[in-house]
């Protein structure tokens, strides 16, 4: 799909991070970005790849993942439309730390390394990148804390709330339908599908969730948030 800069600005500004940037910074980013189509299953980059570009998701969903020594996949995050990613390697010059794959057909904005470095000379953009990194660190520490200190039941509730807010997007408003399969959710939580299924059925019987194919409906957000607050 062909987008005008005005349409791109509208679509991408729905993301809290990009939308809170000064208009001049948003326009400067879009002025140097190229649109790249993605097929479902296509790799954007692999773990260990050299520094490439800064990316924005215009359309589709991307899976951020890594593989263990035994070949098992761990899903770290899901990137939806409006999100930007790939800044870490551009800042530290080290190889890509994980795999990024298109979970469905989509389109990316691509800001190549030289253009990104020029944008970093703009103080407002540089501060925004710092804030983006801080958000990622907070999310990562929260995930580690959950894995170390919280029960399986609570971890599931907290991850579902995060996904309902767009995962990496972290919108204030949670949507009712979470488009995730039980298999993918189990990978995100680092648990077996059987363990997850057992806990989800408990939540379904309690009227908190409704389970569907490739999706989970949050019937009672208030109750789910109550369970997410438990240890």
């Amino acid at each position: 799909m062909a987008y005008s800069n005005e349409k791109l600005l509208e679509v991408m500004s729905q993301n809290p991070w990009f939308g809170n940037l000064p208009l001049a910074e948003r326009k400067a980013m879009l002025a140097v970005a190229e649109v790249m189509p993605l097929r479902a299953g296509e790799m954007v980059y692999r773990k260990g790849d050299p520094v490439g570009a800064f990316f924005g998701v215009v359309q589709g969903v991307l899976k951020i993942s890594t593989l263990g020594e035994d070949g098992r996949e761990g899903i770290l995050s899901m990137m939806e439309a409006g999100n930007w990613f790939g800044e870490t390697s551009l800042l530290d010059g080290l190889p890509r730390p994980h795999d990024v794959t298109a979970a469905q057909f989509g389109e990316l904005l691509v800001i190549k390394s030289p253009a990104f470095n020029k944008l970093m000379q703009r103080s407002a953009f540089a501060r925004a990148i710092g804030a983006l990194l801080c958000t990622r660190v907070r999310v990562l520490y929260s995930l580690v804390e959950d894995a170390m200190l919280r029960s399986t039941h609570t971890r599931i509730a907290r991850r579902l709330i995060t996904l309902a807010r767009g995962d990496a997007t972290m919108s204030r408003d949670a949507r009712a339908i979470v488009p995730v399969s039980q298999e993918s959710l189990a990978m995100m939580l680092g648990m077996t599908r059987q363990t997850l299924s057992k806990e989800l059925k408990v939540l379904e019987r309690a009227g908190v969730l409704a389970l569907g194919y490739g999706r989970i409906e949050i019937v009672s957000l208030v109750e789910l948030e109550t369970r997410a607050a438990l240890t």
Side-chain angles (χ1 to χ4, degrees):
M1 181 184 298
Y3 292 91
S4 65
N5 272 9
E6 290 76 16
K7 185 61 177 178
L8 279 175
L9 183 64
E10 178 187 345
V11 170
M12 299 304 290
S13 292
Q14 294 175 27
N15 173 265
W17 177 78
F18 187 76
N20 287 329
L21 279 171
L23 181 59
E25 303 308 313
R26 285 179 278 161
K27 288 185 174 181
M29 291 173 66
L30 297 181
V32 296
E34 302 173 8
V35 178
M36 182 179 81
L38 282 176
R39 302 182 305 274
E42 184 175 352
M43 298 282 299
V44 178
Y45 55 75
R46 295 180 183 276
K47 182 177 180 178
D49 280 354
V51 176
F54 187 46
F55 300 95
V57 186
V58 180
Q59 181 182 356
V61 178
L62 299 180
K63 177 179 67 177
I64 316 300
S65 64
T66 189
L67 291 177
E69 293 182 358
D70 58 359
R72 287 190 303 164
E73 183 181 32
I75 299 178
L76 307 176
S77 181
M78 303 298 288
M79 290 279 181
E80 300 182 351
N83 280 289
W84 292 82
F85 67 96
E87 72 285 345
T88 303
S89 290
L90 287 164
L91 294 173
D92 64 16
L94 298 177
R96 296 296 193 184
H98 44 243
D99 299 335
V100 178
T101 312
Q104 54 185 241
F105 166 82
E107 288 182 309
L108 294 180
L109 290 175
V110 183
I111 298 179
K112 294 180 180 177
S113 181
F116 179 86
N117 291 335
K118 286 185 178 180
L119 287 171
M120 284 296 292
Q121 296 173 18
R122 303 168 66 104
S123 60
F125 179 80
R127 286 196 301 271
I129 290 295
L132 184 62
L133 286 171
C134 288
T135 299
R136 302 211 198 284
V137 170
R138 288 178 182 274
V139 170
L140 287 173
Y141 274 127
S142 177
L143 291 174
V144 172
E145 181 181 311
D146 286 353
M148 292 176 62
L149 302 175
R150 292 188 170 88
S151 68
T152 298
H153 190 81
T154 301
R155 287 175 59 206
I156 292 170
R158 288 171 64 85
R159 198 71 176 97
L160 283 172
I161 290 173
T162 300
L163 289 168
R165 291 177 175 151
D167 204 358
T169 306
M170 289 309 295
S171 171
R172 292 181 180 178
D173 300 320
R175 58 193 167 187
I177 303 297
V178 179
V180 65
S181 68
Q182 291 189 35
E183 181 179 5
S184 293
L185 183 57
M187 289 179 183
M188 292 179 196
L189 291 161
M191 62 182 61
T192 66
R193 170 73 182 275
Q194 291 77 13
T195 297
L196 174 66
S197 179
K198 180 180 178 181
E199 294 289 347
L200 289 178
K201 287 177 180 176
V202 170
L203 290 169
E204 186 176 40
R205 288 194 296 269
V208 181
L209 304 175
L211 306 179
Y213 180 75
R215 53 181 269 176
I216 297 172
E217 179 183 356
I218 299 175
V219 178
S220 175
L221 179 61
V222 171
E223 180 60 27
L224 189 64
E225 288 177 333
T226 298
R227 292 169 184 256
L230 300 174
T231 56

